Amino acid sequence: MEARLITRLKEGDKRAFDTIYAMYADKIFRFCLHHLNSIQDAEEVVQDVFVALWKSRESIRATDSLSPLLYTSARFKILNKYRARIDNELLEDYRLSIENPSAENDNFGIEYREFEQNVMNAIAQLSGSQRRIIIMSRFRNMSNAEIAQELNLSIQTVRNTLSIGLKNLRDKLSGHIYYMLPLFSCYIIST
């Protein structure tokens, strides 16, 4: 039955889409809520997952089940939520340190600048492809597909290079784990 719905979805059948939504929306929502602990964030991820499904319907490769595709999409969107939370927390800390200068904030600023320099030095020591892909992924917020397209590589090559590069970077910066969370949030949740 689902294979037929997928075929109809690929042809742009909105009723097939509605049926697929009814089959999976609650399951995806519960999955997201478990990881995000926020009803609003879980609802946003579910909406984003199904909007992405509709937009990419013509290129769907699944033939029997959309479950792996939908859960993978949800995982990536959950990771983006985590990354945004961490980035917002660090940005808020930085904003507060500028607005309310104190000895404690001065120390944090100094430590962060030292860490930032250590990160840049460690990145500079990586191979050219690892360095380029980490910068594109973590600093320019590009997806693996976007990186693959820009560098004319397969997505799997990008994934492998990113994984190896992040491991090498993690090894070089093992004493600074708090600040590394935005860099490695994708790696942490996917394992």
Side-chain angles (χ1 to χ4, degrees):
M1 174 178 165
E2 189 172 349
R4 182 156 166 68
L5 286 171
I6 293 169
T7 301
R8 289 174 41 210
L9 172 67
K10 291 174 74 167
E11 295 168 353
D13 185 332
K14 290 183 182 179
R15 288 191 349 204
F17 175 81
D18 292 341
T19 302
I20 291 168
Y21 182 89
M23 289 170 58
Y24 285 106
D26 287 339
K27 295 174 188 174
I28 300 293
F29 174 78
R30 286 192 303 272
F31 174 77
C32 295
L33 186 59
H34 172 75
H35 289 288
L36 294 170
N37 296 319
S38 163
I39 291 172
Q40 181 180 353
D41 286 346
E43 288 173 345
E44 286 176 15
V45 169
V46 170
Q47 181 178 356
D48 291 346
V49 165
F50 283 96
V51 166
L53 177 67
W54 179 256
K55 286 182 176 179
S56 64
R57 67 189 178 277
E58 293 172 354
S59 62
I60 294 173
R61 293 186 187 146
T63 56
D64 296 329
S65 174
L66 289 173
S67 182
L69 174 70
L70 295 174
Y71 280 97
T72 299
S73 178
R75 279 186 195 98
F76 281 115
K77 292 178 187 327
I78 288 168
L79 289 173
N80 289 337
K81 290 281 185 190
Y82 279 136
R83 189 178 299 140
R85 285 180 186 174
I86 292 168
D87 288 347
N88 286 341
E89 289 171 13
L90 291 175
L91 183 62
E92 183 64 17
D93 287 347
Y94 178 72
R95 187 187 63 75
L96 289 173
S97 72
I98 289 175
E99 290 177 1
N100 303 312
S102 69
E104 182 180 310
N105 287 339
D106 286 346
N107 289 338
F108 174 80
I110 291 168
E111 288 174 13
Y112 186 80
R113 283 189 295 277
E114 288 174 6
F115 169 76
E116 191 173 37
Q117 186 60 48
N118 288 338
V119 168
M120 297 315 287
N121 290 340
I123 289 173
Q125 294 173 22
L126 297 173
S127 73
S129 60
Q130 291 174 7
R131 180 175 52 247
R132 189 176 319 113
I133 289 173
I134 286 175
I135 289 171
M136 294 170 88
S137 173
R138 297 307 191 258
F139 295 97
R140 292 174 51 196
N141 293 321
M142 294 175 69
S143 70
N144 290 347
E146 291 169 331
I147 296 168
Q149 183 176 1
E150 185 167 318
L151 298 178
N152 198 24
L153 299 170
S154 72
I155 293 177
Q156 189 60 48
T157 299
V158 171
R159 284 186 192 129
N160 292 345
T161 304
L162 182 59
S163 177
I164 292 167
L166 289 175
K167 181 190 179 312
N168 290 338
L169 193 58
R170 188 177 62 236
D171 291 346
K172 292 177 187 311
L173 299 170
S174 61
H176 304 281
I177 191 66
Y178 171 75
Y179 297 111
M180 290 170 35
L181 286 175
L183 289 171
F184 302 118
S185 60
C186 187
Y187 179 78
I188 291 167
I189 193 150
S190 64
T191 57

